[in-house]
Amino acid sequence: MPGIGEKTAAKLLAEFGDLAGIMAAVDDPKAKLTPSQRKRLDESRPYVAVAPKVVRVADDVPLPDVDTTLPRGPRDPAAVEELGARWGLGGSLKRLLTTLAP
């Protein structure tokens, strides 16, 4: 939705529960919405009315089991080092490697 980013959407969901609750808050003058949030949400009503049908998440697709265990380090340390140097990842890459280290 234009003007409502990921962080704001998460905050609104935490406060109002779901999309219907957020849209009900637009009509409630006591709801804690900034004027710009209220305006953007109000202007987005046509989109919000059809969005759940258009962007519905498939929940009936069989998926294989996935191992979500984080790796203990890179599979190819030399390649990671090369990418880090090539793209100037420096501190970000070091923090990642420190996090993955046992």
Side-chain angles (χ1 to χ4, degrees), residues 42-80:
D42 188 48
E43 291 171 350
S44 296
R45 284 183 194 271
Y47 171 79
V48 170
V50 297
K53 294 174 191 159
V54 175
V55 296
R56 186 181 143 263
V57 174
D59 59 3
D60 58 349
V61 177
L63 298 173
D65 289 333
V66 177
D67 181 8
T68 58
T69 306
L70 287 175
R72 297 255 184 225
R75 207 175 286 161
D76 186 345
V80 171

Side-chain angles (χ1 to χ4, degrees), residues 8-71:
T8 301
K11 179 182 169 194
L12 293 172
L13 285 169
E15 187 162 346
F16 300 110
D18 59 13
L19 188 56
I22 294 170
M23 297 313 292
V26 173
D27 297 324
D28 180 359
K30 295 178 184 177
K32 295 178 183 175
L33 291 170
T34 68
S36 64
Q37 288 171 339
R38 192 176 301 275
K39 180 178 184 250
R40 288 180 178 136
L41 290 164
D42 188 48
E43 291 171 350
S44 296
R45 284 183 194 271
Y47 171 79
V48 170
V50 297
K53 294 174 191 159
V54 175
V55 296
R56 186 181 143 263
V57 174
D59 59 3
D60 58 349
V61 177
L63 298 173
D65 289 333
V66 177
D67 181 8
T68 58
T69 306
L70 287 175

